[in-house]
Amino acid sequence: MSSNNELESGSSLAEDAWAVPSIAAAAVASNDQTTTNQSSSIRNNKSSTVDEAWAKIAALRSKLAADVITDPASNDNNNPFNFPSFISPYEQPNLSAQPNQSYKGMSIPLIYCDQTASQRPIASIENYLQSTSMPCHANTHTNITYTGSQSTAFVSEARQIVGECTGARITGKASLDSVIFGGNGVTGVVAILVDLLNLKGIVNSSAAANGSAGDTRPVVFAGPHEHHSNLLPWRESGCEVVPVPECANGTVDLNELERLLQLPQYSSASGRLRMGAFSAVSNVTGLIADVDAIAIILHRHGALAFFDYASGAPYVKMNMNPNPIQFASHAKEEGEVVDASKDAIYFSPHKCFGGTSTPGVLVVKKRLISQTNPPAVSGGGTVFYVTNQDHRFLSNRIERYEGGTPDGIGIQRCGLALLAGRRIAKEYEQIASSIDGSGGNVEKNKCPPKTLLEYECSTYDRVVAELKKHAPNLIMLGSEHDNVHDSSSSGNCVGRHLPIFSFLIRCGKRFLHYNYVCAVLNDLFGIQSRGGCQCAGPYSQRLLGMTKIVNGNEVSNQANRSIERALLRSDHPCELLRPGYTRLSLPFKGIREEEVDYVIRALIWVSKNGWVLLPQYRCDHRTGEWRHWSRCGKPLGKSERRWLSHYDILAPSTNHLGKLGSNSTQSDEVQASQDRLDLAMKNAKAILELSKRDPRFIAEVEKMNKADGMLGDASDVDDTLEALRWYVYQREAAPSLRDGLDEMPETFDDDKLMGGISVRMDGKRIINDNVEMEVDEVHANEEEKKEADVTMLLNSSMEGLLSFKEGDHAGEASFDEIKAGFEDGELSEACEVFHKGRDEWLVIEDFIRGCEDGDSDSSAASRKRDISTMFGSTNLPEQAAASSVPSQQVVNIPEAATKREKKKPSRDSSQWGQCSVPHITPADAAAADPSTSPSGNVDSNTDDVAALKAATAATKPTGKESNKGKKKKGKLKPPPKMMRAITQAMIQWDMIQDGDRLLLGLSGGKDSLSLLHCLLEFQRKLPIKFDIEVCTIDPMTPSFDPSPLIPYVEGLGLKYHYIRDDIVERANTAGKDGKTVSSLCAFCARMKRGNLYTCARKNNCNKLVLAQHLDDCAESFLMSVMHNGFIRTMKANYQINAGDVSVIRPLVYCRENLMTEFAKANNLPVINENCPACFEEPKERARVKKLLAREETLYPNLYDHIRRALIPVMHDDSTSIMRSYTEAAIAKSRKVSPKQKKTAPQSQDAAPSSSNNNQAEATPSISLASASEEELIAELARRRAEKYKMAGAMKRLPDDNTAEGTIEDSTGQMCSLNGGDGMIPCRELME
């Protein structure tokens, strides 16, 4: 019978019976058997020279790198050692000058440098598991069967290995610690630690006792370098988290920690549970903390010491119970017992060499594990006995918190990974200590470091020194502290850095975006890195200069808070603005020595030349990703992606682990590795030269504007956040490329740095407590620059018209004409205008905005009007005369307006209407119709509107002066992008004609209010004349009150119809048998639409305007397909069945965010609707909206493609045609009676001939060359109908009136010809 200690450590009861050899011994034996002669020479312990020692270290490193699992071994002569590679998005440059050679798909080496995030699997461990463990793998929790006992024994042994490698005492009578596996890395086991300490229960008890969780809550002292996994669980537990700052050299400030522990509220006298949670190694900078000194201070004051070894486990030694004798010097007074033990350590084995797919590990003191409190995760494996009424948990500390089936293979892999790391470290030390120093001439600085940990730290020092020398604009974060250490003095390397590198690359006044740097390193050099804050937000923000000190506490500065608010925006995500940096790792295990040199060369190359490739990349402001232009939609290319679904269990099995055997020597392998890396560098240089000479990408990015930027088309928000933008846009690199510069100007000037990240060139933070003032100064400087630009433009524009170009089209026009053309959609966003004052081409939107923003005072405005008037003249002497007029003498506005009116007809106005009718002004209309008032009118079918009229009477302006006010109020300027989309829809769908009377259905939402102002803008600008009236339907529900719209619309000077209809009350009795209708939403929509049609007829309005947009159309299309099985969406322009009113939707090409931004920017009186009956459809529409939003993140042009696809579906005839198709196809499969089967063939045989004869007689011959458009359409319809009849989709049945046969259309659908007045059966239009 085993003891309790053996059970708690997880020992198997069947270990002695089966006599299973240990994993450690088997692994060593396996390595010994498979070792080549060369590797055995690595372990030769005989004395050697310094050069021989370095050669052995390089051989050991190459052996470890070769053990990493890569692609299946192949007999490729170009890659005999099977080095990993993949296909780059760049084309292979022609290095050999062979014209007939294909250069598609450049192959580049795969250099994995993201070990700090996760390591890769190695063949030796996977082969060992495959041959030793997996054949007898089973579930644990049983010792009856062979497989169960063996699996339990393996898990128990792995637990013992972890205990050995962490200095934990988990077996025997002196056992103090427990090893617990669980969760996903450190995140999972910290949650277990919080649970077993019962912190949430303590917090709740404190709150119940004191009324709040204030002074008696547990306290957690958190270090300055914490990963989110060692910070957020403590915050969420309800504990008070006290941050401990860093000292001058970047390490934990031990003096401040001790001071905090002595404060009255945190001292032992407070009676609070106190804990310290510190990172042993920073996952951002690789900085090594003095964990022993921290533990001593915490224990001295009665606090618990917890340490996160997530990034440190692959490198540093972990020791739960160090010998206290070696820390005697830390005693502050005589007789003090120095305790450097750890109360808990936790780490992620998947970051260890070979530890892929392993659970997190928690090593904790047994005394801290509660045996009475139930675990938060309960289930199988955690209970002792369960009945129908109650259950009892196990008292075993391990099993109690390892519920469910353990990850047996992952736990075993964890043990093997720790064994491998310990074996490698020992092997290295043997090589380093084998140097023969008897000659006395061995230089100490040329010898290899004595330990592998010292070697890793020396790698960091060497790489940083090289980069500072050759890449001065590469800023290595955390390296500003000159921590010089004597490697012989201590083996723990406290205060030094492991080879974890986090850096920024300065480019001009800003930085290259970290995701862009990662993309270039991947696409051009095959280096796998990572961008972001590395899940260490507080430390990262401190490194990036985004914090400040207030009253001794570190808080976010204004830029940091502004960026956070911008990231929280749901309408316009700006992930590009998220601060961060690029990180990579260069550990000893898993990467070759020549690959380290290759990475250094690549970083130098990117820091110097990376900005040149900016025009070839596209960024997504929603996700923050940067991708090569050829892989925007497919980041893995067309053929690089691999699929799990291609797995075939019946396919021939192959062993893909390991490398092909080779008779080549170590030097051959090193040379082959070096050759592939040199080739990659040559390809990069060739691509650089091609990129500098290729003008295509430069010309394309020069057309980019802010719509391609951080917040899409939200130009107003983009301007607000421009001061926070810390990264370089593609278009900013174009001028330097045009000029052939070697670097972006002002790259090395700290005073020119812009954006939310404040890091100097030496890596030190720019600390500024008053960032708000900085931002204001930036805006002030921008305003001064804009005013200067406008002044320069006005002064330089005296010479003549402005030049503009768009694609192959170029010309000259006045400023007013260019602006009007841009707003009307005649000039696109790609158009550029030549700025004479600055001697450069500017994007039209920036040009117009720059001119308008400069009109801050009346004199500037008057100068602009003066100059604009002179632009309109083509007579040079008149221009000279005008230029001599003093700036105070402004040309009168009516004359300028007359010239503007003369210019309007020159534009293509034929598409806005064929006829020209006199425009009836509101005053004329009022005179002609006494019921119409220029201040507005409210129609209703109830007496309640009288109260509304009385309530709003005070707001009704009267007289001439009030009309001016109303006109000014209505002149809200919609954004050009929205106006262009509406213009395109109006032209393509013939929505508005001259003389139309429009009735806008105004619900009070953002869409209809925005459309109202767009129509008013079109009414002012278009050469055609049309009238606008507005109608609102009030359903009289408490949740929707649109009455605030009455004074607003009347203030615009429009005729307003406000109809109150108790639709909800009517719905209670409008159903079948006087019951409630089945669908209130459908009933309400029909009633509202009927009221709108009636209102339009009463007021002689021939068109009803609705405000559904492109998002609505896309969502309706998907909902119709998914729920109704029919291709249908909202129509752009159609005529109702009565034929007297047409319905148009001008916003069908507009995205919803355009209206949202416009409504917010202008504070439109949006009425919130929250109908309690509308549950199902709004939920479904919201779900479809989210579905489309997710797809749009992958395919940014999704809605453009949907718009093109919906064009035919938006047509008035599409639904009838497709429904006829459907009915005709279904009719073929319908059952018919035997009588019909007998009679049908006769009529079917007789019908065609007579019908065809009649058709031949009735249809006159038409000469298509001289036919009119109507005749051509009719002829096309007849031919389509004839083709359809020949297909036999519908049967000919005898007509009651004639003996001839006619076609019976069971659908009865009628369609219009080309949207005209003539009607024809829809079946005759089908093909």
Side-chain angles (χ1 to χ4, degrees), residues 1261-1269 1271-1272:
S1261 59
I1262 297 176
S1263 174
L1264 299 182
S1266 59
S1268 64
E1269 183 179 356
E1271 292 173 335
L1272 288 175

Side-chain angles (χ1 to χ4, degrees), residues 126-159:
E126 300 306 316
N127 286 332
Y128 186 78
L129 289 172
Q130 186 176 2
S131 61
T132 305
S133 173
M134 292 183 183
C136 55
H137 178 68
N139 204 334
T140 56
H141 302 159
T142 182
N143 292 316
I144 306 302
T145 62
Y146 165 74
T147 54
S149 297
Q150 184 62 77
S151 296
T152 302
F154 278 141
V155 171
S156 175
E157 188 179 6
R159 200 183 306 274

Side-chain angles (χ1 to χ4, degrees), residues 247-275:
C247 59
N249 63 358
T251 59
V252 178
D253 192 337
L254 300 180
N255 295 328
E256 181 64 15
L257 172 61
E258 191 146 24
R259 187 190 71 83
L260 290 172
L261 287 165
Q262 293 174 347
L263 293 176
Q265 64 269 32
Y266 303 136
S267 66
S268 57
S270 65
R272 304 169 70 177
L273 175 62
R274 295 162 302 137
M275 302 155 283

Side-chain angles (χ1 to χ4, degrees), residues 303-331:
L304 300 176
F306 303 149
F307 293 95
D308 174 10
Y309 277 87
S311 299
Y315 302 94
V316 302
K317 184 178 180 180
M318 298 176 285
N319 194 349
M320 280 285 292
N321 302 286
N323 190 345
I325 298 178
Q326 60 181 336
F327 301 105
S329 60
H330 288 73

Side-chain angles (χ1 to χ4, degrees), residues 790-804:
V790 173
T791 303
M792 190 181 301
L793 171 66
L794 295 175
N795 292 335
S796 62
S797 298
M798 307 283 285
E799 302 172 5
L801 301 177
L802 295 174
S803 300
F804 67 92

Side-chain angles (χ1 to χ4, degrees), residues 144-449:
I144 306 302
T145 62
Y146 165 74
T147 54
S149 297
Q150 184 62 77
S151 296
T152 302
F154 278 141
V155 171
S156 175
E157 188 179 6
R159 200 183 306 274
Q160 293 173 359
I161 294 172
V162 172
E164 293 175 6
C165 294
T166 58
R169 301 173 185 174
I170 62 173
T171 58
K173 294 182 180 180
S175 64
L176 299 172
D177 312 303
S178 294
V179 176
I180 299 176
F181 299 101
N184 301 316
V186 164
T187 303
V189 291
V190 172
I192 294 176
L193 179 58
V194 171
D195 180 30
L196 60 86
L197 291 172
N198 192 28
L199 292 182
K200 292 186 178 180
I202 297 175
V203 171
N204 293 334
S205 300
S206 302
N210 302 320
S212 65
D215 295 333
T216 59
R217 286 184 301 159
V219 183
V220 178
F221 299 93
H225 312 128
E226 300 318 303
H227 187 274
H228 293 165
S229 298
N230 196 33
L231 180 63
L232 302 186
W234 305 113
R235 288 182 178 178
E236 292 299 317
S237 68
C239 297
E240 180 183 357
V241 178
V242 179
V244 179
E246 59 184 359
C247 59
N249 63 358
T251 59
V252 178
D253 192 337
L254 300 180
N255 295 328
E256 181 64 15
L257 172 61
E258 191 146 24
R259 187 190 71 83
L260 290 172
L261 287 165
Q262 293 174 347
L263 293 176
Q265 64 269 32
Y266 303 136
S267 66
S268 57
S270 65
R272 304 169 70 177
L273 175 62
R274 295 162 302 137
M275 302 155 283
F278 294 85
S279 291
V281 172
S282 168
N283 72 316
V284 176
T285 61
L287 186 64
I288 302 174
D290 193 346
V291 294
D292 295 324
I294 295 173
I296 290 171
I297 294 175
L298 289 169
H299 288 152
R300 179 180 295 147
H301 297 276
L304 300 176
F306 303 149
F307 293 95
D308 174 10
Y309 277 87
S311 299
Y315 302 94
V316 302
K317 184 178 180 180
M318 298 176 285
N319 194 349
M320 280 285 292
N321 302 286
N323 190 345
I325 298 178
Q326 60 181 336
F327 301 105
S329 60
H330 288 73
K332 280 198 168 184
E333 56 186 31
E334 185 103 11
E336 179 187 356
V337 179
V338 178
D339 184 6
S341 65
K342 319 301 184 297
D343 295 292
I345 64 173
Y346 30 89
F347 62 95
S348 304
H350 68 265
K351 300 177 186 291
C352 298
F353 186 60
T356 307
S357 300
T358 52
V361 175
L362 170 65
V363 187
V364 61
K365 296 299 181 187
K366 286 184 178 181
R367 57 184 171 82
L368 298 179
I369 303 177
S370 173
Q371 292 181 293
T372 59
N373 295 315
V377 179
S378 57
T382 66
V383 288
F384 175 77
Y385 202 74
V386 181
T387 68
N388 290 336
Q389 291 80 28
D390 52 33
H391 57 272
R392 298 177 185 273
F393 288 101
L394 291 167
S395 60
N396 183 286
R397 293 179 173 88
I398 295 172
E399 295 175 345
R400 189 181 184 88
Y401 289 96
E402 285 188 358
T405 301
D407 182 8
I409 298 299
I411 292 174
Q412 296 167 43
R413 188 181 286 112
C414 169
L416 293 176
L418 293 179
L419 281 181
R422 186 171 65 179
R423 178 64 179 274
I424 294 168
K426 184 178 180 180
E427 181 73 17
Y428 176 89
E429 291 175 7
Q430 289 178 352
I431 297 174
S433 62
S434 66
I435 299 176
D436 184 7
S438 59
N441 56 356
V442 178
E443 298 183 21
K444 183 178 178 180
N445 58 354
K446 292 184 178 180
C447 294

Side-chain angles (χ1 to χ4, degrees), residues 1240-1298:
Q1242 297 179 357
S1243 59
Q1244 194 170 6
D1245 292 340
S1249 60
S1250 59
S1251 176
N1252 289 340
N1253 292 336
N1254 290 341
Q1255 185 179 11
E1257 295 173 2
T1259 303
S1261 59
I1262 297 176
S1263 174
L1264 299 182
S1266 59
S1268 64
E1269 183 179 356
E1270 291 75 10
E1271 292 173 335
L1272 288 175
I1273 293 173
E1275 179 65 17
L1276 177 61
R1278 281 192 290 271
R1279 293 185 181 184
R1280 286 181 176 175
E1282 182 63 26
K1283 186 176 181 180
Y1284 178 71
K1285 295 170 190 173
M1286 295 296 291
M1290 287 187 177
K1291 299 177 181 178
R1292 290 183 171 277
L1293 300 177
D1295 191 277
D1296 294 336
N1297 301 328
T1298 63

